[in-house]
Amino acid sequence: MKKISMKGNDVVTTQELSTDEIEAILKLAFEMKKDRYADKWAELLKRKTFIMFFYNPSLRTRQSFEAAATELGGHAQFIEPKAMRLRGLKKGNIEVAGETIHDAAKVMARYAVGIGIRILETSVDNYGDGNKILREYAKHMDIPVINMADDIYHPCQGLADVMGMRMHNNNLPTRGKTLLQTWAKGALARSYCSVHESLLLNSRLGLNIKLAYPDDNYDLPDDIIEQVRKNCKENKTKFELIKGDPEKGYTEADYVYSRNWFGKDFYQIGKEAEIKRATDIKYKDWICTEEKMKKANKDCKFIHPMPVDEDSEVTREVNQGPRSIILDIAENRLHVQKAIMAMTIAGLEMGL
Ligand code: CP
């Protein structure tokens, strides 16, 4: 049996974890779910503090990290950087002059045993700047930094998705199954991060990937697509890109992940223009419906990271129906985050 140790490690994206580390986190998360309030987990963070920086809003991430810290015997503190005096990158959102990330990071590392950071596209001017800022914090900290969603990646969401997909596959790995990741219309101008993480992680774990979206406006970044292709090639699985057909991808799908994401010029045109475009009548068929799900494999499940834009991304019939596993996935955020904190902060080792 191999012992997997992640003590002191950051978690920025699952793509930077080894497959053993991914499997170790998932194995521990399943154990923690099964035996949620067992004494063996209850003191892993006893009297210790986890700090959370939220540049952007959250429901699930904040509450599940707080619950995770509590269930491990510690405490999570929350702060929005707009309430600090940080030197920011984006005028109008955060002060341009102020304290450096270097100083804030160094001080937080003196108080806490780990830090989580959320920084999405609306807090920065250019694609990737959120991820750069998160890595800048990590550079100056000698405690684990956990990505709570940046403008490229959302590792905890990806792991919670996979855990849910396995739960609904008799708790077995989903290697060989097919995931349809499809763009959906909507008025929320959604981030790339959950979509990227799903594509990267599921291609890594041996699923066939179908990626569907309406047109060139919604191309995903080239480096992400290249990595997904590479992951599929390494696993000898299929990667299919479907442009312009909202139905084709459903055939033979085992999981359908129907979610809006903003266009590739979002950082230039802004949220209002993106919403106007994404709600245009020409995209009316880009919604997950029961009729489309019937074209998929018999037990096909609907997955989504939430919040769901019901009646835009998916009909209520599917979202709240028997195919939907979104609530299990949302619950899994708690279990995977507990597992990540236990392994990276408390140094719990897992045997594989
Ligand atoms: N899925 C997710 O990250 O949800 P929140 O934005 O509510 O945290």
Side-chain angles (χ1 to χ4, degrees):
M1 185 185 272
K2 286 185 275 191
K3 279 264 183 208
I4 308 302
S5 169
M6 295 179 68
K7 190 169 170 48
N9 293 3
D10 301 326
V11 176
V12 177
T13 165
T14 55
Q15 188 63 41
E16 292 170 8
L17 302 179
S18 69
T19 46
D20 279 350
E21 288 170 335
I22 291 167
E23 291 302 339
I25 292 168
L26 289 167
K27 185 176 174 190
L28 181 56
F30 270 104
E31 285 181 18
M32 287 177 149
K33 180 182 169 79
K34 191 166 160 229
D35 218 357
R36 180 161 168 186
Y37 299 109
D39 288 347
K40 61 185 168 184
W41 324 123
E43 298 198 347
L44 287 171
L45 292 188
K46 189 177 177 186
R47 291 198 294 270
K48 296 194 172 130
T49 300
F50 181 75
I51 288 180
M52 305 184 293
F53 277 12
F54 275 94
Y55 285 79
N56 292 87
S58 159
L59 173 64
R60 278 145 291 273
T61 304
R62 177 178 171 181
Q63 301 315 125
S64 56
F65 265 101
E66 288 199 16
T70 302
E71 292 184 19
L72 296 176
H75 175 70
Q77 284 181 1
F78 163 85
I79 188 163
E80 291 177 303
K82 70 181 181 202
M84 295 151 57
R85 284 153 296 183
L86 271 180
R87 187 172 296 193
L89 290 187
K90 190 173 172 114
K91 286 182 193 169
N93 189 1
I94 308 165
E95 289 172 79
V96 170
E99 187 166 13
T100 59
I101 287 176
H102 168 276
D103 288 357
K106 291 276 182 204
V107 175
M108 292 306 103
R110 302 262 177 132
Y111 299 150
V113 291
I115 183 163
I117 300 171
R118 164 165 288 200
I119 180 162
L120 298 174
E121 55 286 340
T122 46
S123 291
V124 294
D125 285 323
N126 302 296
Y127 171 65
D129 281 352
N131 180 258
K132 274 191 206 144
I133 292 173
L134 185 140
R135 290 185 194 273
E136 178 75 7
Y137 278 107
K139 195 171 85 184
H140 300 302
M141 287 189 178
D142 56 2
I143 56 173
V145 172
I146 302 173
N147 186 351
M148 299 194 302
D150 66 28
D151 58 343
I152 308 182
Y153 305 116
H154 198 351
C156 301
Q157 187 62 56
L159 289 161
D161 295 345
V162 169
M163 188 174 170
M165 291 156 79
R166 288 188 182 185
M167 278 169 62
H168 290 273
N169 188 41
N170 299 317
N171 290 340
L172 293 170
T174 48
R175 182 168 286 277
K177 299 275 181 188
T178 297
L179 167 70
L180 167 63
Q181 186 87 47
T182 175
W183 184 89
K185 66 192 167 95
L188 292 181
R190 288 273 164 74
S191 175
Y192 289 150
C193 61
S194 303
V195 170
H196 285 175
E197 201 70 50
S198 166
L199 289 168
L200 290 167
L201 182 56
N202 285 301
S203 60
R204 193 92 184 286
L205 295 175
L207 280 83
N208 300 300
I209 306 291
K210 296 181 184 208
L211 174 62
Y213 53 93
D215 54 38
D216 295 353
N217 288 327
Y218 294 101
D219 285 338
L220 291 171
D222 289 343
D223 61 330
I224 298 289
I225 297 305
E226 211 37 56
Q227 187 62 55
V228 175
R229 280 188 199 281
K230 195 163 166 258
N231 292 346
C232 286
K233 200 170 169 200
E234 281 171 13
N235 276 308
K236 299 187 174 50
T237 52
K238 286 186 249 165
F239 175 75
E240 188 182 359
L241 205 155
I242 301 162
K243 233 187 248 198
D245 189 331
E247 295 203 10
K248 187 177 171 208
Y250 283 76
T251 313
E252 293 180 358
D254 297 296
Y255 303 98
V256 170
Y257 188 144
S258 173
R259 188 180 195 264
N260 177 258
W261 65 80
F262 53 66
K264 61 187 177 191
D265 54 358
F266 174 80
Y267 288 83
Q268 288 79 51
I269 68 170
K271 201 164 182 169
E272 269 181 40
E274 169 55 36
I275 289 170
K276 193 161 179 285
R277 174 171 62 196
T279 51
D280 190 283
I281 189 80
K282 73 178 173 183
Y283 296 134
K284 70 177 174 36
D285 294 332
W286 287 87
I287 177 170
C288 175
T289 62
E290 186 57 31
E291 288 67 40
K292 286 182 191 157
M293 289 299 265
K294 282 187 181 132
K295 296 177 196 287
N297 284 344
K298 188 169 142 282
D299 292 328
C300 181
K301 302 294 181 218
F302 173 72
I303 67 176
H304 193 289
M306 302 180 86
V308 174
D309 189 3
E310 213 178 69
D311 298 326
S312 291
E313 295 176 314
V314 59
T315 59
R316 176 163 296 190
E317 187 183 15
V318 175
N319 190 45
Q320 298 185 16
R323 295 178 184 278
S324 175
I325 61 169
I326 63 169
L327 297 179
D328 285 331
I329 287 173
E331 179 192 324
N332 292 342
R333 292 289 306 276
L334 170 72
H335 307 303
V336 300
Q337 288 157 199
K338 278 172 74 178
I340 290 170
M341 290 162 106
M343 292 192 70
T344 60
I345 300 172
L348 191 72
E349 295 187 343
M350 277 305 287
L352 280 185

